[in-house]
Amino acid sequence: MKLLTGNDLASGDVIWWTGSGWSRHVGDAADVGDDGDALLAAESEALRVNAAYIIDAEQSPSGPLPSHIKERIRASGPTVRADLAINTEIPIVRA
């Protein structure tokens, strides 16, 4: 599974491609599959996202779960205060 992620131009928030737009919640993310590079180019050119890139993920019972710890941290939210996390269901470390 491949996900498209980047940062919102206005707020800097981590955002995820949903198949029709962008969301702050990785659970809304859609698998971009083989279309990832074309979507990446189109969204970057349209200036809807900053520093977009494609990541590996796997499907979990609660939705897409980024494969790399860096991306799980980005998806979860700030690590310095758990009460500020936007996606608290994301396990940072795999069980």
Side-chain angles (χ1 to χ4, degrees):
M1 165 177 249
K2 301 283 187 186
L3 304 180
L4 180 57
T5 185
N7 294 90
D8 181 73
L9 287 170
S11 66
D13 289 345
V14 174
I15 54 177
W16 306 88
W17 179 251
T18 66
S20 61
W22 294 93
S23 173
R24 291 178 62 214
H25 301 278
V26 71
D28 298 335
D31 183 3
V32 297
D34 295 334
D35 299 327
D37 290 327
L39 280 168
L40 175 63
E43 290 297 307
S44 295
E45 186 175 311
L47 299 177
R48 287 189 276 264
V49 63
N50 183 49
Y53 57 100
I54 299 167
I55 66 161
D56 290 322
E58 56 196 54
Q59 191 62 40
S60 75
S62 61
L65 181 65
S67 298
H68 194 276
I69 190 168
K70 172 193 169 209
E71 303 307 332
R72 289 194 301 274
I73 291 169
R74 287 180 73 246
S76 177
T79 58
V80 293
R81 284 187 46 197
D83 60 315
L84 296 178
I86 60 171
N87 292 301
T88 57
E89 72 282 354
I90 296 172
I92 300 300
V93 178
R94 292 185 191 163

